[in-house]
């Protein structure tokens, strides 16, 4: 084992675990990762909950109670997921206290089927914050066009937000704008801005998966030489945008009254292509005041053989622009790729949620008491 995780933390990268299950909570595994692997946060999504709850371990007693009460499947699912998030938040509470609220966070996502419905997203975010009832929760809102005004409204109510499914640089700038607008609303309402936190989850590996596929279709040596470069280039230019926005006069005025920067969070950092090193999206995305949320396999790989050599983002912006320009010159449309990935991301999470509803409904029916 190397001390790569400690070095990563020392470089200003917060290590969050991209996974949660009741077994992980009750077995002490989450507490162990916090204690031994520098984990300071947890992210969840519908696919993660589908895997955890469909696996079944640790959920039968609660499912039995819910079946006895004859609750709807939607209510049952929210009771189960918010219970896990609440328990994880309690385990992470000392980290939250130690870091003045920056870390020690657990994220829970609004119903992904609401991704294109602004009022419903706002209502769901408020409901989730109330249900979990822990100050170290982040409510995940997708960065769709409909999600942007929801982000502003929810931040304006003092609820901390994890903005998810960001793929494009333009959309990322819109997300940061929505965050600042939300802080301005919160300030106007007399809220304490120092208590509001946010991260912006910029997705990484899926960009390479899609662009590499298109580079393979081009098939030239020039195209093949660009494989595995677009995702890092895209993320590095996102950090450049972050630096610009959080040095602006608009931001400085908010910072003076206690506002927190919205950190960039590198999401989807598990490597999809076995040809690439399995710590690629960790080693090569080291920058101050960022978060890297990792699947457990990536966390373990980084601990074992990660190569943390200091800041690998700042100073790379011109190269990153050149790499994305080279991809575009081969006829691969950046705008088409990022819109496709956003659409697919929403669809995949909605499909996972629907599958989870079906499996939960089947469990409720199986465990329902027979009528006398």
């Amino acid at each position: 084992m190397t001390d790569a995780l400690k070095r990563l933390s020392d470089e200003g990268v917060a290590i969050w675990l991209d996974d949660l299950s009741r077994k992980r909570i009750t077995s002490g595994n989450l507490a162990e990762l916090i204690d031994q692997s520098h984990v300071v946060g947890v992210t969840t999504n519908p696919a993660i909950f589908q895997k955890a709850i469909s696996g079944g371990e640790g959920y039968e007693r609660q499912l039995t109670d819910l079946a006895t009460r004859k609750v709807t499947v939607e209510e049952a699912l929210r009771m189960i997921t918010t219970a896990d998030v609440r328990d994880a938040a309690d385990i992470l509470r000392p980290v939250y206290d130690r870091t003045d609220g920056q870390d020690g966070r657990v994220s829970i996502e609004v119903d992904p089927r609401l991704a294109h419905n602004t009022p419903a997203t706002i209502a769901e975010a408020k409901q989730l914050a109330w249900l979990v009832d822990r100050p170290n929760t982040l409510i995940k809102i997708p960065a769709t066009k409909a999600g942007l005004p929801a982000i502003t409204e929810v931040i304006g109510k003092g609820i901390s937000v994890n903005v998810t499914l960001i793929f494009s640089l333009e959309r990322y700038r819109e997300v940061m704008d929505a965050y600042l607008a939300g802080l301005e609303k919160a300030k106007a309402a007399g809220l304490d801005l120092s208590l509001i936190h946010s991260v912006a989850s910029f997705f990484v590996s899926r960009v390479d998966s899609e662009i590499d596929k298109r580079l393979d279709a081009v098939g030239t040596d020039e195209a093949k030489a660009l494989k595995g470069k677009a995702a890092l280039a895209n993320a590095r230019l996102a950090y450049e945008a972050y630096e610009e926005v959080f040095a602006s006069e608009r931001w400085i005025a908010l910072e003076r009254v206690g506002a927190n920067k919205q950190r960039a969070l590198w999401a989807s950092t598990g490597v999809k292509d076995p040809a690439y090193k399995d710590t690629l999206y960790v080693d090569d995305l080291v920058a101050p005041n960022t978060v890297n949320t990792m699947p457990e396999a990536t966390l373990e790989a980084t601990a074992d053989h990660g190569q943390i050599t200091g800041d690998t983002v700042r100073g790379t912006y011109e190269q990153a622009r050149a790499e994305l320009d080279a991809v575009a010159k081969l006829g691969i449309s950046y705008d088409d790729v990022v819109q496709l990935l956003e659409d697919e991301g929403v669809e995949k999470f909605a499909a996972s949620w629907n599958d989870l509803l079906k499996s939960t409904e089947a469990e409720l029916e199986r465990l329902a008491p027979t009528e006398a």
Side-chain angles (χ1 to χ4, degrees), residues 105-363:
R105 295 276 176 176
V106 186
S107 297
I108 184 168
E109 190 151 350
V110 297
D111 185 333
R113 299 171 300 177
L114 307 177
H116 303 297
N117 185 330
T118 303
T121 294
I122 295 166
E124 170 99 342
K126 288 159 58 181
Q127 174 76 355
L128 283 174
W130 178 82
L131 275 172
V132 177
D133 192 29
R134 294 295 185 270
N136 50 330
T137 310
L138 290 172
I139 307 302
K140 289 180 83 171
I141 297 175
T144 56
K145 277 292 186 186
L148 295 171
I151 293 158
T152 296
E153 189 67 23
V154 172
I155 290 288
K157 293 184 182 301
I159 297 170
S160 295
V161 171
N162 176 344
V163 184
T164 188
L165 288 175
I166 308 171
F167 295 95
S168 87
L169 295 168
E170 179 184 1
R171 184 57 54 81
Y172 179 44
R173 286 184 181 273
E174 291 174 335
V175 164
M176 290 187 283
D177 181 73
Y179 175 60
L180 297 186
L183 290 175
E184 288 159 353
K185 284 186 73 127
K187 180 186 173 187
L191 299 181
D192 183 351
L193 300 193
S194 71
L195 300 178
I196 303 171
H197 287 260
S198 183
V199 294
S201 295
F202 200 86
F203 278 53
V204 185
S205 67
R206 295 187 195 183
V207 173
D208 269 344
S209 296
E210 183 59 33
I211 288 183
D212 283 0
K213 185 168 66 177
R214 299 184 187 208
L215 289 168
D216 281 335
V218 173
T220 63
D221 289 343
E222 182 186 9
K224 289 173 184 173
L226 288 167
K227 288 182 66 177
K229 296 182 184 293
L232 289 173
N234 198 39
R236 286 165 170 172
L237 292 177
Y239 192 79
E240 181 187 40
Y242 159 85
E243 288 189 305
E244 288 173 8
V245 169
F246 290 102
S248 67
E249 288 300 319
R250 183 185 182 192
W251 163 249
I252 290 166
L254 289 162
E255 190 174 39
R256 285 196 193 105
V257 290
N260 299 291
K261 290 178 180 176
Q262 182 186 55
R263 287 183 293 172
L265 178 151
W266 311 128
S268 183
T269 55
V271 172
K272 306 275 195 290
D273 189 332
Y276 304 149
K277 63 178 179 177
D278 53 4
T279 58
L280 176 66
Y281 305 125
V282 179
D283 298 350
D284 290 13
L285 286 176
V286 177
N289 207 34
T290 57
V291 179
N292 195 311
T293 187
M294 308 179 202
E296 189 168 22
T298 304
L299 182 75
E300 290 174 350
T302 303
D304 183 62
H305 52 263
Q307 297 177 321
I308 309 304
T309 57
D311 190 331
T312 50
V313 173
R314 292 181 296 184
T316 67
Y317 304 144
E318 290 310 311
Q319 180 189 348
R321 255 187 289 280
E323 287 166 348
L324 289 186
D325 286 347
V327 169
K329 283 174 185 169
L330 293 173
I332 296 170
S333 167
Y334 175 86
D335 290 342
D336 180 65
V337 166
V338 293
Q339 187 59 56
L340 174 71
L341 290 172
E342 180 187 304
D343 293 343
E344 283 184 349
V346 170
E347 288 167 11
K348 284 175 181 175
F349 280 169
S352 292
W353 196 251
N354 283 327
D355 288 346
L356 184 48
L357 285 167
K358 287 175 191 169
S359 59
T360 302
E361 187 171 37
E363 282 296 285

